[in-house]
Amino acid sequence: MSSDSLALLRKNAGQDIAALAKEHFKHDLQDSDRDALKSAASKISTHVTVGSLIGLGLGAFLAFRLRRTRMQMFNAFRANEKPTHVKFADGREEAIPDMTPFLRPSTLGDVAAYTFFGFGGLFIGGETGILTGSASAGRTISRDSESSERIETAFRRFRADVLRKEADALDKRRGVTELLGL
């Protein structure tokens, strides 16, 4: 499993692309544009962190509820009278084994429930945080139409430079095996 699977752990792009982005950030934008982008990035980070924490808490809560329900069902099953023998039509009797120890909730089951519900909540909360943070960041950037246009233009220029670098890297490679990284 990659660390990119969880929104909270995702890293930035490569160093060369990051340096290119910093150059565009310095030269293509005004101070107010930079502040708007920093504010938007901060909102995304905050939403992802809060969403991940809420998801983790919700996952732990649901695992606790599941454990408690399993324990209640086991106790109700254990308290009921159960048949101990089966009598067949030909008159013979066979003992029914007691299955109660096999139905008892285990520590391993509890650990698995808390682990999987915790990771599931972390994943869902982080991804929800990305969605809400992106929407909030988009509103922050689009507040000022002039600034929004400058940011979009700077992003288009940055993206064009990234594509040029990728094309140059592809042109430098000779064979199919090098292209595929084999």
Side-chain angles (χ1 to χ4, degrees), residues 53-110:
L53 291 175
I54 289 172
L56 186 62
L58 184 62
F61 172 73
L62 291 175
F64 173 76
R65 291 283 309 261
L66 177 70
R67 182 188 185 284
R68 189 172 63 184
T69 302
R70 284 177 41 219
M71 198 62 148
Q72 287 173 347
M73 288 176 59
F74 172 73
N75 289 335
F77 176 76
R78 190 174 58 180
N80 287 341
E81 279 190 39
K82 293 174 275 309
T84 57
H85 290 81
V86 174
K87 190 171 189 176
F88 292 96
D90 63 359
R92 85 184 147 101
E93 274 188 28
E94 291 287 327
I96 298 175
D98 185 20
M99 301 300 288
T100 306
F102 300 113
L103 299 175
R104 171 175 288 135
S106 67
T107 304
L108 181 62
D110 293 342

Side-chain angles (χ1 to χ4, degrees), residues 129-140:
I130 281 183
L131 291 174
T132 60
S134 296
S136 178
R139 286 191 305 271
T140 299

Side-chain angles (χ1 to χ4, degrees), residues 21-85:
K22 282 182 184 177
E23 288 300 314
H24 279 277
F25 191 73
K26 285 181 190 174
H27 302 296
D28 294 349
L29 300 173
Q30 296 177 358
D31 288 336
S32 62
D33 302 337
R34 290 186 205 104
D35 292 341
L37 284 175
K38 286 178 183 177
S39 173
S42 170
K43 284 188 178 194
I44 290 175
S45 176
T46 301
H47 280 249
V48 167
T49 302
V50 169
S52 295
L53 291 175
I54 289 172
L56 186 62
L58 184 62
F61 172 73
L62 291 175
F64 173 76
R65 291 283 309 261
L66 177 70
R67 182 188 185 284
R68 189 172 63 184
T69 302
R70 284 177 41 219
M71 198 62 148
Q72 287 173 347
M73 288 176 59
F74 172 73
N75 289 335
F77 176 76
R78 190 174 58 180
N80 287 341
E81 279 190 39
K82 293 174 275 309
T84 57
H85 290 81

